[in-house]
């Protein structure tokens, strides 16, 4: 079995190939909702060739997307070039988990996949912090149920808003400043955004734990999660493979 797993966020889309034993290749591309199945196929074929693989070798596909207008093209990629009907989270897939929230249909595909990926590896009650376009805080109970959480603007979104809304503030790169007290405009912005997000993480984790009332393990994942390694003790583990692990498990639950 050669599985193509596609995890599409608002900013980036991850394509990963699993050969039945291991993940053998992963690539990221900017999310563009207008990109056609044919364009995806050309791009993917070239990257597969670099690994000595051909698109015809892929015989399974699972898709998780938070961009509804892109799903049509991703589905066509699977049908036309892999000759298989893809599994699409939120459409034709049985997750094998419970969402204990008011409106289960509103839970984002990425959050549910992360919940499954986390519960597979980490025992007990969990908080999963996914740092991407948005920063999400997801609570997963010890039995694997998704219990809800919180959504905040992502760190890149905050930087963009500062630059666009304030004429005198430049566009800057995210990095960890040496000092909290900045001495110029750029270091002021870097401190406010970076240490502000550390404070957001620490404050939200403390409040969630206090409300939950039981010990919880905190897992960090997502595109910019690695920025916070060593900057806070509120995150117990950093796990960049949470999402693709969840996708693989969902695939197995629906095909084996």
């Amino acid at each position: 079995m050669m599985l193509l797993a596609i995890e599409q966020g608002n900013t980036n889309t991850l394509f990963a190939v699993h050969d039945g034993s291991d993940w053998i290749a992963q690539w990221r591309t900017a999310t563009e909702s207008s990109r056609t199945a044919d364009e995806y196929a050309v791009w993917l074929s070239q990257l597969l060739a670099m690994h000595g693989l051909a698109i015809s070798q892929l015989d399974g596909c699972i898709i998780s997307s938070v961009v509804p207008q892109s799903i049509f093209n991703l589905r066509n990629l699977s049908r036309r070039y892999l000759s298989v009907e893809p599994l699409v989270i939120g459409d034709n897939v049985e997750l094998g988990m419970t969402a204990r929230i008011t409106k289960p249909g509103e839970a984002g595909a990425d959050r549910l996949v992360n919940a499954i990926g986390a519960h597979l590896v980490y025992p007990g009650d969990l908080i999963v912090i996914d740092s991407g376009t948005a920063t999400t805080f997801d609570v997963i109970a010890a039995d694997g149920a998704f219990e809800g959480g919180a959504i905040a603007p992502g760190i890149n979104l905050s930087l963009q808003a500062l630059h666009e809304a304030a004429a005198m503030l430049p566009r800057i790169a995210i990095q960890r400043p040496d000092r909290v007290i900045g001495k110029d405009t750029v270091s002021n912005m870097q401190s406010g955004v970076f240490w502000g997000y550390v404070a957001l993480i620490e404050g939200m984790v403390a409040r969630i734990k206090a409300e939950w009332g039981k010990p919880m393990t905190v897992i960090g994942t997502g595109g910019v999660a690695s920025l916070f390694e060593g900057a806070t003790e509120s995150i117990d583990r950093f796990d960049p493979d949470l999402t693709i692990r969840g996708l693989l498990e969902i695939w197995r639950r629906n095909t084996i």
Side-chain angles (χ1 to χ4, degrees):
M1 184 275 291
M2 292 280 279
L3 173 67
L4 175 64
I6 303 173
E7 190 269 313
Q8 185 172 65
N10 287 294
T11 303
N12 293 309
T13 303
L14 170 69
F15 289 74
V17 177
H18 195 275
D19 67 357
S21 301
D22 299 294
W23 294 103
I24 58 174
Q26 294 184 36
W27 309 282
R28 289 186 181 274
T29 183
T31 295
E32 296 178 13
S33 60
S34 61
R35 184 172 294 177
T36 67
D38 299 327
E39 289 172 322
Y40 278 122
V42 170
W43 173 83
L44 183 60
S45 294
Q46 292 174 335
L47 290 170
L48 285 165
M50 293 170 64
H51 283 73
L53 301 169
I55 200 167
S56 59
Q57 293 177 260
L58 304 175
D59 52 12
C61 182
I62 185 166
I63 300 167
S64 170
S65 176
V66 296
V67 186
Q69 58 269 39
S70 288
I71 294 176
F72 174 81
N73 290 323
L74 292 173
R75 195 193 303 271
N76 277 347
L77 168 69
S78 180
R79 288 172 173 170
R80 192 178 303 162
Y81 291 95
L82 280 62
S83 300
V84 297
E85 185 65 26
L87 295 181
V88 181
I89 307 298
D91 184 359
N92 58 346
V93 171
E94 177 57 50
L95 296 180
M97 68 171 295
T98 302
R100 285 196 283 259
I101 58 178
T102 306
K103 298 179 180 179
E106 289 185 357
D110 53 339
R111 301 176 76 183
L112 298 178
V113 172
N114 279 349
I116 291 171
H119 180 65
L120 276 176
V121 175
Y122 306 102
D125 299 312
L126 307 173
I127 301 172
V128 173
I129 304 172
D130 190 344
S131 304
T133 305
T135 299
T136 55
F137 299 81
D138 298 330
V139 174
I140 298 98
D143 64 357
F146 177 74
E147 298 280 354
I151 302 174
I155 192 167
N156 278 305
L157 212 54
S158 294
L159 276 175
Q160 181 182 337
L162 271 178
H163 170 67
E164 291 180 356
M168 296 295 290
L169 297 182
R171 187 183 299 276
I172 63 169
I174 304 169
Q175 66 181 61
R176 177 179 175 175
D178 296 328
R179 296 169 51 87
V180 176
I181 302 172
K183 294 297 185 180
D184 55 30
T185 299
V186 170
S187 60
N188 272 249
M189 292 173 68
Q190 288 173 338
S191 177
V193 172
F194 182 86
W195 293 116
Y197 263 82
V198 170
L200 168 69
I201 289 168
E202 292 172 343
M204 287 298 294
V205 166
R207 288 176 180 273
I208 290 170
K209 285 183 173 181
E211 193 170 290
W212 191 248
K214 293 179 286 184
M216 306 179 84
T217 300
V218 183
I219 314 300
T221 193
V224 294
S226 60
L227 277 173
F228 305 115
E229 287 197 63
T232 176
E233 295 181 357
S234 290
I235 299 176
D236 300 306
R237 295 288 298 273
F238 289 87
D239 189 339
D241 296 327
L242 212 57
T243 305
I244 58 172
R245 185 187 305 121
L247 285 174
L248 179 61
E249 176 63 18
I250 294 167
W251 169 263
R252 287 171 171 165
R253 290 179 183 179
N254 283 265
T255 58
I256 297 175

